[in-house]
Amino acid sequence: MNGQVIIVTGGTSGMGMYMAKRFLEEGAKVAITGRNMERLQQARGQITSGAKDELLLIEMDVRNVEDVERMVEQTVEAFGRIDHLVNNAAGNFISPAEKLSSNGWNSVIDIVLNGTFYCSQAVGKYWIENKIKGSILNMVATYAWNAGAGVIHSASAKAGVLAMTRTLAVEWGKQYGIRANAIAPGPIERTGGADKLFESEKAAQRTLNSVPLGRLGTPEEIAGLARFILSDEASYMNGEVVTLDGGQWLNQFPF
Ligand code: HXC
């Protein structure tokens, strides 16, 4: 990854932060985005061990098209180019479908589905104009193709992002050599998802029992897979979704 330029949206915590850390350790230049500069600066303290010039902080909201365009401009201005985009920013909370307000639905769809499209389109246009064979990595969830009881907004949005991944893989792969892939993480420790979705002891235990490997995944494991997917070692991988969930989604029958 030496010298490669990578944007990671939602990079102030959890998987985004650990991916950024790993990419920096591999010699990449990384731009992380987040909605709050204070949180971005706190993340910088946790991510960098010295090479501060290689990390760019961008305060923006993926729901805002003007912010997204500025994200592209700022990154190119700071690092000279963009090689990869990791669409990691997400929003989620548990709500029964019948109780979810239209604002709650719209908010998650806007961050996850619309935000992923705005970022992909803006960076994709830059790649097409500059003849760069970049790659996109989208973070989805196994409920993008399975069921997501209690998170109908997130499941619907992630299903859309998976369709977007495969569509861009074909459309931009064929014409411009741009790759698009996805990771479907299961429950991962030290992430906003785990904190929010498994906040009660009972929910945490139920989750743990559902994973054949009997533990949560780590953000370092996600970062290792992301590094591989973005690297030249995966240069023939396009339109793929790789599950990293300890076998959780396959575990349907008690044994
Ligand atoms: C019911 C809720 C709610 C909750 C928000 N809402 N939280 N409804 N239960 N817990 C409703 C609000 O009442 C409001 O509707 C509407 O959603 C919008 O809320 P806001 O707070 O105004 O929205 P906003 O400030 O835009 O925040 C977006 C957010 C927030 C998604 C609600 O939680 C957020 O920004 N989250 C980002 C971080 C995050 O969620 N990370 C986890 C990602 S995990 P009304 O009708 O009252 O106006 C993930 C995958 C997990 O994505 C996979 C696990 C295996």
Side-chain angles (χ1 to χ4, degrees), residues 171-190:
E171 193 174 322
W172 287 353
K174 209 178 274 181
Q175 295 193 66
Y176 309 110
I178 294 168
R179 296 188 298 124
N181 292 292
I183 294 178
I188 305 295
E189 65 184 34
R190 287 169 276 145

Side-chain angles (χ1 to χ4, degrees), residues 82-83 123-132 134-136:
I82 303 167
D83 296 288
V123 175
K125 277 162 87 171
Y126 161 80
W127 284 335
I128 291 165
E129 274 165 26
N130 292 281
K131 298 191 169 44
I132 294 172
S135 85
I136 294 174

Side-chain angles (χ1 to χ4, degrees), residues 137-178:
L137 175 60
N138 292 329
M139 305 307 289
V140 295
T142 56
Y143 54 57
W145 61 87
N146 202 357
V151 288
I152 194 166
H153 42 13
S154 175
S156 305
K158 297 286 192 189
V161 172
L162 186 53
M164 199 187 304
T165 308
R166 291 171 170 153
T167 299
L168 290 179
V170 172
E171 193 174 322
W172 287 353
K174 209 178 274 181
Q175 295 193 66
Y176 309 110
I178 294 168

Side-chain angles (χ1 to χ4, degrees), residues 4-8 71-72 75-76 80-87 116-138 168-169 172-173 175-181 230 238:
Q4 301 262 297
V5 178
I6 307 170
I7 296 176
V8 181
M71 170 189 85
V72 174
T75 309
V76 174
R81 58 185 278 132
I82 303 167
D83 296 288
H84 306 284
L85 166 68
V86 181
N87 284 306
T116 300
F117 178 68
Y118 298 153
C119 292
S120 303
Q121 190 191 44
V123 175
K125 277 162 87 171
Y126 161 80
W127 284 335
I128 291 165
E129 274 165 26
N130 292 281
K131 298 191 169 44
I132 294 172
K133 293 180 179 176
S135 85
I136 294 174
L137 175 60
N138 292 329
L168 290 179
W172 287 353
Q175 295 193 66
Y176 309 110
I178 294 168
R179 296 188 298 124
N181 292 292
L230 295 184
N238 191 28

Side-chain angles (χ1 to χ4, degrees), residues 83-100:
D83 296 288
H84 306 284
L85 166 68
V86 181
N87 284 306
N88 170 74
N92 203 358
F93 54 84
I94 292 176
S95 171
E98 70 278 13
K99 290 194 177 148
L100 183 62

Side-chain angles (χ1 to χ4, degrees), residues 19-219:
M19 283 190 278
K21 187 171 189 300
R22 176 72 191 265
F23 299 157
L24 282 165
E25 285 164 5
E26 300 267 341
K29 297 176 183 182
V30 181
I32 57 169
T33 81
R35 284 175 290 174
N36 180 299
M37 187 44 88
E38 218 171 287
R39 294 197 63 206
L40 281 160
Q41 274 157 353
Q42 282 164 6
R44 183 202 284 278
Q46 293 193 58
I47 291 174
T48 51
S49 50
K52 291 203 174 3
D53 291 350
E54 313 300 312
L55 179 67
L56 176 68
L57 309 179
I58 305 177
E59 189 179 32
M60 57 88 76
D61 190 328
V62 294
R63 290 173 283 193
N64 183 318
V65 178
E66 283 170 17
D67 278 11
V68 170
E69 281 165 5
R70 183 169 49 78
M71 170 189 85
V72 174
E73 284 161 18
Q74 269 184 258
T75 309
V76 174
E77 202 180 311
F79 296 142
R81 58 185 278 132
I82 303 167
D83 296 288
H84 306 284
L85 166 68
V86 181
N87 284 306
N88 170 74
N92 203 358
F93 54 84
I94 292 176
S95 171
E98 70 278 13
K99 290 194 177 148
L100 183 62
S101 71
S102 59
N103 278 345
W105 168 266
N106 285 333
S107 173
V108 171
I109 296 292
D110 221 7
I111 297 170
V112 176
L113 183 60
N114 296 342
T116 300
F117 178 68
Y118 298 153
C119 292
S120 303
Q121 190 191 44
V123 175
K125 277 162 87 171
Y126 161 80
W127 284 335
I128 291 165
E129 274 165 26
N130 292 281
K131 298 191 169 44
I132 294 172
K133 293 180 179 176
S135 85
I136 294 174
L137 175 60
N138 292 329
M139 305 307 289
V140 295
T142 56
Y143 54 57
W145 61 87
N146 202 357
V151 288
I152 194 166
H153 42 13
S154 175
S156 305
K158 297 286 192 189
V161 172
L162 186 53
M164 199 187 304
T165 308
R166 291 171 170 153
T167 299
L168 290 179
V170 172
E171 193 174 322
W172 287 353
K174 209 178 274 181
Q175 295 193 66
Y176 309 110
I178 294 168
R179 296 188 298 124
N181 292 292
I183 294 178
I188 305 295
E189 65 184 34
R190 287 169 276 145
T191 63
D195 294 349
K196 270 194 180 185
L197 303 180
F198 317 124
E199 53 193 8
S200 75
E201 184 56 37
K202 204 170 141 207
Q205 201 50 52
R206 205 174 43 224
T207 303
L208 218 49
N209 291 342
S210 72
V211 181
L213 293 183
R215 66 170 176 89
L216 300 187
T218 68

